[in-house]
Amino acid sequence: MAVTKEIGYFNAFVLKAANASKTWHIEETRIKGGFNNTALELGVRAFLVDENYAVERRKNAIIYSGIYNSKTGVNNLNQFSIGDNITKAVDIANGSIQKLYAEDTNLLILQEDKVSRALIDKDAIFTAEGSPIKSTSNIVIGQIVPFLGKYGISNDPESFAIKGGMKYFTDKKRGVVIRLSRDGHTEISYYGMRSWFKNNLKTADKIVGMYDNVKDQYVVSLQNNSNYYTLGYDESSKGWVSFYSYKPSSGFTLNNVFYSFRDADLYTHYTSNNYNKFYEGNLNPYEESKVTLVINNTPSAVKVFKTLAYEGTNGWQAKNIITNDSGDKAFDVSQYNTSLDYDTPGLSSFNKKENKYSSYLKNNSDFGNNDILFAQEISGIKGMYVSIDLETYVESGIQTSAKELFAVSSETVLSSN
């Protein structure tokens, strides 16, 4: 006769005779069969085995354990009393719960297609007129109240970020970026980027959201295998103010310092004088700041753009200066430099006067069949409006100071033909 352990029976040995059809179970007297463990007394004991046990995943439900108090040494996190009401469920029609966030005495519940809030340690009773009255209760998770509007966080809980009483996240299914506040949902992607987000959110494999308290911006990064876009939303400007050249895994702000992760490495932002270069080494090379502007100070009129001027700091250069209809283009305008010879043919550079940088636009268009003068001999470019790329310029790939740009203008005259 052999003695073996059999899985599925608690604290029992199985006795099997050779080639026998019967099995005997001998119960151990000590818990877990351990030496000197607590022994069970003789007598009647309840014994129940669930032969049809299985795992059930309730993606729309919440369950909570006992309390944890580090000061008193109470740790009941492993206790789930089935005798108490410890579960709470939301509507499964709105998808699974993707994110939970505790705020004061409320619990924010973000599903794929809905956002709700639940009361913590209190419940709500309603008057005959339907007005809610909050009352203390022994229920940990109380009344669940959904926010108005059909918005959710889809399957991208990493896009969630918070600043004060405002929460930010993306809804890939609807192609929008949402700000949640006391006023409810607001589509901040509507501010100048509505079509862009609808086209790019659906192709993103991963969406990372974080709040930069230094620049006071919600930063979201849309990433996939081929490319990525990282851009920031400024609440004071009510718009998306910039694209960034770094690709973060996550990020946060601590003690007014902005950090981001890249491949499990932690990087600090805004602490060095090397602007426009994120992540040391070859992860991200230096990239110039670029602003594409369209100048059209007299709409619907054909004009000759004679000059280009801007207010700001030195270090900006102008490229891709071209009009819309005639296709006239001008030579690039390099940054202000006192050592340049401004009379050199084809060379155009900003001049500084009264803290304003300006330059004549020298025509660089191709020579046409009916042209009397070569394009390089003509000052200015003709068209209804002109498109210009203003970029920062630095030497040796290191920018040690901030480059600021406040205003851009152009002197124009109406075309005579």
Side-chain angles (χ1 to χ4, degrees):
M1 183 170 293
V3 179
T4 60
K5 274 274 191 177
E6 183 172 309
I7 299 176
Y9 297 91
F10 298 98
N11 304 325
F13 283 103
V14 181
L15 300 177
K16 290 187 178 180
N19 299 324
S21 59
K22 293 184 179 181
T23 302
W24 293 270
H25 297 273
I26 302 178
E27 185 177 3
E28 295 178 341
T29 60
R30 297 189 180 275
I31 296 177
K32 296 184 179 180
F35 177 76
N36 255 0
N37 280 7
T38 303
L40 300 177
E41 297 180 356
L42 297 177
V44 179
R45 289 184 296 276
F47 182 75
L48 177 65
V49 176
D50 185 4
E51 300 290 350
N52 299 317
Y53 65 89
V55 176
E56 180 184 4
R57 297 188 179 275
R58 301 183 62 191
K59 298 181 180 180
N60 65 316
I62 307 170
I63 186 171
Y64 55 89
S65 66
I67 64 172
Y68 171 77
N69 192 327
S70 60
K71 295 181 180 179
T72 59
V74 176
N75 185 0
N76 296 330
L77 295 178
N78 64 333
Q79 297 182 13
F80 296 86
S81 176
I82 61 176
D84 298 329
N85 185 16
I86 61 174
T87 61
K88 204 76 173 182
V90 291
D91 192 353
I92 189 60
N94 294 319
S96 62
I97 297 175
Q98 294 288 318
K99 176 74 177 179
L100 296 175
Y101 179 77
E103 183 180 31
D104 296 331
T105 58
N106 293 324
L107 180 66
L108 191 65
I109 305 172
L110 294 97
Q111 297 176 255
E112 297 178 38
D113 302 311
K114 197 69 175 177
V115 180
S116 307
R117 65 173 179 265
L119 304 178
I120 300 178
D121 289 334
K122 59 182 181 293
D123 209 346
I125 57 177
F126 295 87
T127 64
E129 292 77 15
S131 301
I133 300 176
K134 295 180 181 179
S135 62
T136 58
S137 172
N138 58 356
I139 299 177
V140 176
I141 303 177
Q143 183 82 12
I144 295 179
V145 181
F147 285 92
L148 295 178
K150 190 71 172 179
Y151 295 104
I153 201 170
S154 298
N155 292 291
D156 305 292
E158 298 89 354
S159 66
F160 183 84
I162 184 169
K163 165 63 185 305
M166 295 180 291
K167 277 74 66 176
Y168 301 86
F169 55 91
T170 62
D171 189 346
K172 182 190 294 186
K173 293 183 180 180
R174 292 153 190 85
V176 294
V177 183
I178 299 296
R179 180 193 65 215
L180 181 64
S181 61
R182 292 184 180 273
D183 299 331
H185 298 93
T186 302
E187 291 187 20
I188 59 175
S189 55
Y190 179 82
Y191 300 131
M193 300 286 286
R194 187 173 188 176
S195 299
W196 189 91
F197 276 108
K198 285 187 178 296
N199 295 331
N200 289 278
L201 276 174
K202 60 184 179 182
T203 60
D205 298 327
K206 181 181 180 181
I207 303 176
V208 177
M210 46 198 173
Y211 201 90
D212 180 1
N213 272 326
V214 179
K215 296 296 183 182
D216 205 17
Q217 294 179 5
Y218 169 63
V219 181
V220 60
S221 181
L222 281 58
Q223 306 172 6
N224 53 40
N225 294 329
S226 57
N227 55 7
Y228 68 94
Y229 300 100
T230 303
L231 59 164
Y233 172 80
D234 190 292
E235 196 66 53
S236 60
S237 302
K238 296 294 183 184
W240 299 88
V241 294
S242 181
F243 282 88
Y244 299 104
S245 60
Y246 65 96
K247 181 182 179 182
S249 302
S250 62
F252 62 95
T253 303
L254 180 63
N255 295 331
N256 205 29
V257 178
F258 182 55
Y259 302 90
S260 69
F261 286 93
R262 170 66 184 264
D263 298 332
D265 293 324
L266 182 64
Y267 294 89
T268 307
H269 294 240
Y270 314 124
T271 58
S272 66
N273 292 327
N274 194 358
Y275 292 84
N276 286 34
K277 183 176 176 62
F278 300 97
Y279 305 149
E280 300 175 0
N282 298 323
L283 290 177
N284 283 62
Y286 171 84
E287 295 189 14
E288 296 83 2
S289 294
K290 182 175 71 173
V291 181
T292 300
L293 303 171
V294 176
I295 300 178
N296 187 12
N297 49 3
T298 307
S300 303
V302 178
K303 304 169 285 293
V304 176
F305 296 86
K306 298 175 59 178
T307 63
L308 177 65
Y310 77 88
E311 298 178 31
T313 58
N314 185 28
W316 290 91
Q317 57 185 347
K319 295 183 177 181
N320 301 324
I321 309 172
I322 187 170
T323 57
N324 67 312
D325 49 353
S326 64
D328 276 6
K329 57 184 179 180
F331 282 99
D332 294 343
V333 182
S334 60
Q335 68 167 346
Y336 168 72
N337 193 331
T338 57
S339 63
L340 291 178
D341 183 6
Y342 301 110
D343 296 328
T344 303
L347 178 63
S348 184
S349 176
F350 284 109
N351 293 308
K352 184 178 181 181
K353 185 178 181 180
E354 297 179 352
N355 292 326
K356 190 174 183 178
Y357 298 88
S358 62
S359 173
Y360 287 103
L361 294 178
K362 298 182 180 180
N363 200 299
N364 189 30
S365 303
D366 297 330
F367 181 70
N369 294 329
N370 298 323
D371 287 347
I372 299 176
L373 298 175
F374 288 97
Q376 287 81 355
E377 300 175 2
I378 302 174
S379 177
I381 56 178
K382 184 175 68 175
M384 292 183 63
Y385 65 85
V386 62
S387 175
I388 301 171
D389 289 341
L390 281 176
E391 298 181 0
T392 56
Y393 172 81
V394 295
E395 297 180 357
S396 304
I398 299 177
Q399 181 177 325
T400 58
S401 62
K403 308 297 181 183
E404 297 180 327
L405 183 67
F406 304 118
V408 180
S409 60
S410 176
E411 180 184 355
T412 61
V413 294
L414 294 179
S415 176
S416 59
N417 51 20

